[in-house]
Each structure stands twice: as structure tokens, then as C-alpha cells.
Amino acid sequence: MPDLPLSVLVLHGPNLNLLGQREPGIYGSLTLTEINRLLEQEALKLQAKIFCVQSNHEGVLVDTIHQAWGKHQGIVINPGAYTHTSVAIRDAIAGVNLPSVEVHLSNIYRREDFRHHSYIAPVAIGQISGFGAQSYILGLQALVHHLIAQS
Ligand code: CA2
């Protein structure tokens, strides 16, 4: 067992600050604050600490990933639309070499073709897509179990 508590960075990408206010049919009716609260409750059960950050800016997401090194043991990330475009976020995750789980509220493979490709997936330990807010909970559980197993 590692020295507890494990510390996990939860990173939310662009437009996820709008959750609960628009497009509930695709992304659900919970706000980002409500999702973060659910994650806090799950983290407590898992005896982990989480730090939640949302940004609409690619560079801020890259900087936040860099700053996770030496501070957090893993990352749960919903890169939003940057999933499908960002070599910079992929390189940042590969660069810090922290176990990362990619999560999506919607099932990106049931949507437009351009959402079927993820630049992040090859540098993530796994991907969870399509379970709404539960995708984040499953992602946090999977990451913490992975971190415990590898310690
Ligand atoms: O399903 C997901 O979690 C996504 O990462 C969400 C991104 C989308 O670009 C990805 O393909 C899949 C979009 C997030 C936008 O969130 C909104 C929430 C409410 C209203 C408008 C946008």
C-alpha cells in the first residue's frame, strides 16, 4: 500500500464550465460543481485527495499538467474538444509520465466521426466514455485502483 492519501488531479477542459446550463440531452443536467462534489465524496471513500481544475485554455491545461508532477500521483482528465485536436496536451501527459485516465460524459464513438479519434488515448492508461457524470467516478476508481496496484 502507498502512503495515503493519494493525490489526484481532476482536469476539466473547455466548455465544461457550461454543464447543467446547456445541452442536458448530451451532457446531463449536473453542473460541474455538482460533479466535483460527487468526486469529492468518492475520493473520501477511496481515501484519496482530489484537486479539480477547469480551463478553457489549452496552455493553462498544459501548465496544470506540468505542475502535477511531484504533487499528484495521477490525473483524471476530460480534455473536452481538445481530445480531438491537442498534440500539446498529449505531449504534456507523456512528458510528466503520470498515470492518466481519459473520461468523457458522452460516448464519443456514437457521435460525429471527428470525435472518434483521441490524441490522448495512446498516452492514457485507459478511457471511459458515455456514462455521464458516472464516467468521472469510474475513472477515479480505476485510477486509484491502478495506483494502489502498482505501488
Ligand atoms: O463527452 C465529453 O465529455 C466531451 O469531452 C465533451 C466535449 C466534446 O467536445 C467531446 O467531444 C466529448 C464538449 C464539452 C462541452 O460541454 C458543454 C456543456 C454544456 C453546454 C455546452 C457544452
Side-chain angles (χ1 to χ4, degrees):
M1 287 283 284
D3 287 342
L4 291 173
L6 290 166
S7 181
V8 171
L9 173 66
V10 178
L11 210 42
H12 306 282
N15 295 309
L16 289 161
N17 55 310
L18 297 178
L19 282 176
Q21 300 165 44
R22 307 271 313 270
E23 304 205 61
I26 303 177
Y27 299 119
S29 54
L30 294 184
T31 64
L32 196 60
T33 304
E34 289 167 335
I35 290 176
N36 287 341
R37 207 169 291 141
L38 291 175
L39 282 165
E40 294 281 0
Q41 288 168 5
E42 187 60 31
L44 214 60
K45 290 185 202 161
L46 294 165
Q47 295 182 277
K49 285 192 300 180
I50 58 164
F51 293 82
C52 302
V53 176
Q54 188 275 332
S55 179
N56 294 322
H57 305 280
E58 189 175 20
V60 173
L61 293 166
V62 168
D63 285 343
T64 306
I65 292 165
H66 291 174
Q67 287 155 14
W69 193 76
K71 189 167 161 196
H72 304 294
Q73 284 74 55
I75 302 173
V76 172
I77 181 167
N78 182 348
Y82 287 138
T83 304
H84 321 297
T85 64
S86 182
V87 176
I89 292 175
R90 175 203 181 114
D91 287 350
I93 292 171
V96 297
N97 199 25
L98 286 172
S100 299
V101 177
E102 176 186 348
V103 301
H104 297 285
L105 296 155
S106 62
N107 181 345
I108 58 175
Y109 303 100
R110 293 184 71 176
R111 301 185 63 194
E112 303 95 325
D113 285 355
F114 69 86
R115 296 187 203 274
H116 297 180
H117 177 259
S118 168
Y119 279 98
I120 312 304
V123 296
I125 57 170
Q127 185 197 63
I128 297 167
S129 177
F131 297 99
Q134 191 67 16
S135 292
Y136 281 96
I137 303 294
L138 293 167
L140 180 62
Q141 290 172 344
L143 177 62
V144 170
H145 287 128
H146 173 89
L147 292 171
I148 290 170
Q150 70 161 23
S151 69

